Amino acid sequence: MASVASEIGAKIKYFRKNKNFSLQEMADLLCKSKSTVSKYENGQISIDIETLYDIAKVLGVHVEQLLYSEPMETTAKVLHMVPAFFRALSQFYIYFYDGRIHEISRCVVDILSQAGGNHYKVMMYMNIESYEHYQNCENTYFGFLHHYDALSKLTLTNRDNPMEQVTITVLASFLDAPSKMGLFTGISSRPMMPVATKVMVSKKKQKEDAALVEHLKISKEDIKTMKLYNMFTVT
């Protein structure tokens, strides 16, 4: 139990510092003593669920971002239900090319917990500055990863702007590969408009070079297919 308390405490400390709150300021907002908050962060005392929700509210984060799940041995039955591409993954990466700024945008997705059947709670951190501190990002989305026979689908909502919802669809996730291309659809805030583009979903961090840029850019073949079907599709 101490390791869980320490992991949760470390996350609280990270988000507190990210908000530029001192221990005393945090304690005042929670109506707790400074020493109590310090013990929360150091994992010296466990946090009850009501206090955890209060802390998440003060820090402006989703409570799921503070939780920690100890690694567990996955049963053969559960592994059989999960498509090969996502099997044994607790985190993966998403890349797309943003033509507005002429840069690759990188995202980290944490698979938090099973939500029943083949549905999993996830948190996506978009436009991250670094992999080491990926929670420090432009936008954070909470939602679900759904696995079906022919595809897997992420349905996500921006936790700061519920109007902005995102869907990322990956075909044939039952086939294993280091990475797969997917279709991203949602609402852009710069400017406000509906968008659709292709993304790479990867098990490992990608080398962000010219080759990756070309792979992520909408190609002439993509445009030919789009004209043929009168719709944008990624296969």
Side-chain angles (χ1 to χ4, degrees):
M1 192 65 185
S3 63
V4 175
S6 297
E7 291 286 345
I8 292 175
K11 292 185 178 186
I12 292 170
K13 185 175 183 178
Y14 171 81
F15 286 114
R16 173 179 66 79
K17 289 190 171 183
N18 201 40
K19 282 279 188 180
N20 294 317
F21 288 161
S22 67
L23 270 173
Q24 188 59 62
E25 288 171 329
M26 182 78 170
D28 292 342
L29 289 167
L30 291 170
C31 298
K32 304 281 186 182
S33 69
K34 180 179 176 181
S35 62
T36 297
V37 175
S38 179
K39 288 177 181 177
Y40 287 157
E41 292 188 350
N42 293 324
Q44 293 176 271
I45 54 176
S46 298
I47 307 172
D48 64 83
I49 192 67
E50 289 186 5
T51 300
L52 192 64
Y53 272 89
D54 289 340
I55 291 171
K57 185 176 180 180
V58 165
L59 294 174
V61 300
H62 197 288
V63 69
E64 296 275 358
Q65 291 174 268
L66 301 179
L67 297 179
Y68 170 74
S69 298
E70 289 184 304
M72 295 185 295
E73 185 176 332
T74 308
T75 65
K77 182 179 179 181
V78 171
L79 279 175
H80 179 72
M81 294 171 63
V82 178
F85 178 78
F86 290 98
R87 199 162 292 168
L89 284 184
S90 59
Q91 184 180 82
F92 57 93
Y93 308 91
I94 295 176
Y95 301 87
F96 65 92
Y97 183 74
D98 192 334
R100 297 166 298 184
I101 57 175
H102 307 293
E103 290 181 2
I104 293 172
S105 179
R106 64 187 76 87
C107 311
V108 174
V109 179
D110 283 334
I111 301 175
L112 303 173
S113 60
Q114 191 171 12
N118 269 10
H119 309 295
Y120 295 80
K121 291 182 182 179
V122 296
M123 191 75 66
M124 182 172 79
Y125 301 88
M126 178 181 280
N127 299 335
I128 65 171
E129 294 183 4
S130 71
Y131 292 110
E132 185 178 3
H133 301 294
Y134 63 87
Q135 296 96 338
N136 186 14
C137 62
E138 183 178 354
N139 294 297
T140 304
Y141 297 80
F142 176 74
F144 297 88
L145 170 60
H146 312 273
H147 296 307
Y148 302 101
D149 290 342
L151 56 82
S152 292
K153 182 171 69 173
L154 285 154
T155 56
L156 304 158
T157 301
N158 188 318
R159 57 169 308 280
D160 295 316
N161 182 9
M163 177 183 67
E164 188 184 346
Q165 298 182 1
V166 169
T167 300
I168 300 171
T169 307
V170 182
L171 285 176
S173 54
F174 54 86
L175 297 174
D176 199 7
S179 64
K180 284 186 172 291
M181 300 306 292
L183 179 64
F184 174 109
T185 55
I187 302 293
S188 164
S189 58
R190 305 191 311 268
M192 184 67 69
M193 61 182 181
V195 295
T197 192
K198 60 182 181 180
V199 297
M200 176 184 284
V201 182
S202 176
K203 294 181 181 182
K204 296 182 179 179
K205 303 181 189 75
Q206 292 288 316
K207 182 180 179 182
E208 297 178 28
D209 55 11
L212 181 59
V213 170
E214 287 305 309
H215 198 49
L216 294 174
K217 279 186 174 180
I218 296 173
S219 66
K220 291 181 179 179
E221 288 301 315
D222 293 327
I223 294 172
K224 284 174 64 177
T225 304
M226 184 168 59
K227 286 182 176 179
L228 178 65
Y229 295 124
N230 198 41
M231 59 184 69
F232 187 61
T233 181
V234 174
T235 57

